[in-house]
Amino acid sequence: MHYFNFKKNNLYCEDMKVEDLAKQYGTPLFIYSSRTILEHFLKLEQAFKEINPLICYSVKANSNLSFLKLLTSQGSGLDIVSGGELYRAKKVKCPGNRIVYASVGKTDIEIEEALKYGILMFNVESVPELKRINTIAKRLNKQAAVALRVNPDVAPKTHKYITTGKKENKFGIDMDTVKDIFQKSKKYSNLNLIGIHIHIGSQIIESKPFVEAIQKIKILIEDFKKQGVGLEYLNIGGGLGITYDNETPQTAIEFADKVLPLLKQISLKVILEPGRFIAGNAGILVSKVTYIKDTPQKNFVIVDAAMNDFARPSLYSAYHKIVAIKNNKKKRKDGKKADIVGAICESGDFLGKDRELDVKEKDYIAVFGAGAYGFSMSSNYNSRPRAAEILVKDKKIFLIRKRETYHDLIKEEIII
Ligand SMILES: *Cc1c(COP(=O)(O)O)cnc(C)c1O
């Protein structure tokens, strides 16, 4: 679901014509629909209303401050994975008691900053990290709230780079070690072990792996209850898939229908960490055609966006729908397919391959599903200034990140 639709052969974001936005702000340009962002958040909130969970939007999916502000002012918490993301959370004044912090490599400084801000809890991924947080909390004379991230060893059938809940992944702690930690919890004088966390992967389009993981965790939690371990929270992570091509992912309601019965039996306060589900289809990347390079084999549509702006196709071979924003005729007369590529000196630099797309120089194209893991993964590779970002609210447009300049590229560098 999203608010990017064609009206009379022109692509619109909510009530704004994308072509006008591209002309006004230049390309490459990320355009986000606030209505889409908020509706996704509300859908999840509604679906889980019965148990009133804390929804912590996963900052790494799209970390723009205005994007975060939009969600936190709606009551969302934040799921962070670095000190930089904590800094962003502070900038939008997200209350500490709505922040959860996961990462396999939290540094001492990051732990200290999070403790000082008073986050709700750390999602801890290893025994050495547990020890470290305890030591730092002791030094600061604080109690650190902790959930153990359990690796439930389930296969979510998604890309191997975004599978996180299998034994061989670097994430989380195996069940036996988790049990052991709780048995020795007295060792950790400055920790409150209050929760269990799972996050099994990303772009998961069916409920089964989630159910399987929660069932495994349920057994663990029931064991703990028998032993008198006082847990308060169960964090079931993020990972809900979206439609990029013709996938039919579970809806929020379908997901809730499957997992709510289990969650009610477990009866702990539930935390959700959606990223892609909220942001993915709430954004497009608009780019202008620089050249059409016709070769005997193929038609290369060379555009002004590239893998530095949008890495997902190169990194995960991810499919993203690509359209012409005006008169989107698909088939070329000669029937030749197009590769939509950037200007970067890498053969892996493409946005789409073997597409039916009939465009000419100076036309604009839009890459759909670019709201999550789009700008937040972008870089300056090939010394390309990063794109601008705008947020549309009905008929209003907000520039939420200026296009970088050449000066931005070099401003921290020192010529010796
Ligand atoms: C990335 C991440 C998420 C969000 O994943 P999505 O697939 O975008 O929903 C949630 N929790 C943790 C711990 C993450 O690392």
Side-chain angles (χ1 to χ4, degrees), residues 58 60 79 102 149 197 199 202-203 238-240 273-276 373:
S58 181
K60 74 178 188 290
D79 156 43
R149 177 166 179 177
H197 174 226
H199 171 68
S202 200
Q203 184 54 14
L240 291 174
E273 301 174 330
R276 189 189 311 269
Y373 307 104

Side-chain angles (χ1 to χ4, degrees), residues 56-62 79-81 100-103 123 125 149 162 164 171 197-204 210 235-241 272-280 372-373:
C56 291
Y57 165 69
S58 181
V59 174
K60 74 178 188 290
N62 188 320
D79 156 43
I80 61 169
V81 292
V100 294
Y101 186 176
S103 153
N123 293 326
E125 314 230 11
R149 177 166 179 177
I162 48 177
T164 57
F171 300 99
H197 174 226
I198 47 173
H199 171 68
I200 56 175
S202 200
Q203 184 54 14
I204 304 168
F210 289 107
N235 182 336
I236 61 168
L240 291 174
L272 304 171
E273 301 174 330
R276 189 189 311 269
F277 181 83
I278 287 175
Y373 307 104

Side-chain angles (χ1 to χ4, degrees), residues 30 32 62 279-281 283-285 310 320 367-375:
F30 284 93
Y32 308 122
N62 188 320
N281 281 326
I284 59 171
L285 170 61
F310 195 60
H320 286 263
V367 180
F368 276 64
Y373 307 104
F375 187 91

Side-chain angles (χ1 to χ4, degrees), residues 144-156:
V146 160
L148 296 182
R149 177 166 179 177
V150 179
N151 185 327
D153 193 28
V154 296

Side-chain angles (χ1 to χ4, degrees), residues 14 31 53 62 83-84 93 113 123 134 136 143 153 202 204 221 227 245 257 327 333 402 404:
E14 301 191 8
I31 303 176
N62 188 320
K93 300 193 169 64
E113 286 166 350
N123 293 326
N134 188 49
I136 295 171
Q143 287 296 119
D153 193 28
S202 200
I204 304 168
I221 292 173
Q227 294 162 31
D245 187 4
D257 277 351
N327 304 323
K333 286 210 184 71
K402 289 188 219 163
E404 285 181 345

Side-chain angles (χ1 to χ4, degrees), residues 125-390:
E125 314 230 11
S126 68
V127 174
E129 185 195 332
L130 206 58
K131 288 182 180 159
R132 190 75 59 83
I133 295 175
N134 188 49
T135 307
I136 295 171
K138 200 180 257 172
R139 172 159 57 74
L140 298 176
N141 201 16
K142 287 183 185 292
Q143 287 296 119
V146 160
L148 296 182
R149 177 166 179 177
V150 179
N151 185 327
D153 193 28
V154 296
K157 285 195 205 142
T158 184
H159 191 280
K160 64 178 190 297
Y161 288 2
I162 48 177
T163 296
T164 57
K166 288 277 295 161
K167 273 205 299 261
E168 55 270 32
N169 299 132
K170 70 177 175 182
F171 300 99
I173 309 171
D174 67 274
M175 300 261 196
D176 290 336
T177 309
V178 168
K179 287 181 197 161
D180 194 52
I181 292 169
F182 273 101
Q183 261 158 20
K184 296 176 183 151
S185 65
K186 292 223 169 56
K187 266 191 6 195
Y188 304 103
S189 58
N190 289 63
L191 300 185
N192 297 331
L193 301 178
I194 57 167
I196 297 289
H197 174 226
I198 47 173
H199 171 68
I200 56 175
S202 200
Q203 184 54 14
I204 304 168
I205 59 172
E206 45 166 29
S207 312
K208 219 171 110 213
F210 289 107
V211 171
E212 207 181 307
I214 297 170
Q215 268 162 347
K216 283 191 171 181
I217 292 306
K218 181 168 173 273
I219 297 169
L220 184 77
I221 292 173
E222 279 164 358
D223 267 7
F224 284 151
K225 275 190 187 151
K226 277 185 212 141
Q227 294 162 31
V229 176
L231 287 173
E232 289 175 56
Y233 290 92
L234 171 60
N235 182 336
I236 61 168
L240 291 174
I242 62 168
T243 304
Y244 285 112
D245 187 4
N246 45 25
E247 307 91 332
T248 47
Q250 68 223 311
T251 62
I253 292 191
E254 285 162 358
F255 178 56
D257 277 351
K258 289 275 169 21
V259 300
L260 265 179
L262 281 168
L263 296 177
K264 283 198 268 186
Q265 285 163 17
I266 295 171
S267 105
L268 294 177
K269 172 93 179 161
V270 171
I271 300 176
L272 304 171
E273 301 174 330
R276 189 189 311 269
F277 181 83
I278 287 175
N281 281 326
I284 59 171
L285 170 61
V286 180
S287 181
K288 192 174 181 177
V289 177
T290 314
Y291 299 108
I292 302 290
K293 178 170 169 178
D294 251 326
T295 70
Q297 290 75 32
K298 254 195 191 151
N299 168 231
F300 290 98
V301 175
I302 302 169
V303 298
D304 65 1
M307 65 188 279
N308 74 297
D309 301 298
F310 195 60
R312 286 183 34 79
S314 312
L315 191 58
Y316 313 115
S317 306
Y319 176 93
H320 286 263
K321 189 168 105 178
I322 298 175
V323 301
I325 66 166
K326 205 172 178 162
N327 304 323
N328 184 38
K329 300 190 301 284
K330 289 185 180 146
K331 269 225 167 40
R332 275 168 54 108
K333 286 210 184 71
D334 59 10
K336 228 187 272 174
K337 299 258 172 88
D339 279 10
I340 297 92
V341 303
I344 285 182
C345 309
E346 303 268 351
S347 294
D349 176 29
F350 63 91
L351 300 175
K353 286 200 161 166
D354 294 318
R355 303 298 178 85
E356 288 191 333
L357 184 71
D358 188 14
V359 285
K360 53 187 190 314
E361 280 184 15
K362 297 199 172 83
D363 282 354
Y364 292 103
I365 57 142
V367 180
F368 276 64
Y373 307 104
F375 187 91
S376 63
M377 289 180 105
S378 67
S379 77
N380 292 119
Y381 187 41
N382 275 216
S383 286
R384 291 168 53 88
R386 278 182 293 174
E389 295 176 284
I390 59 177

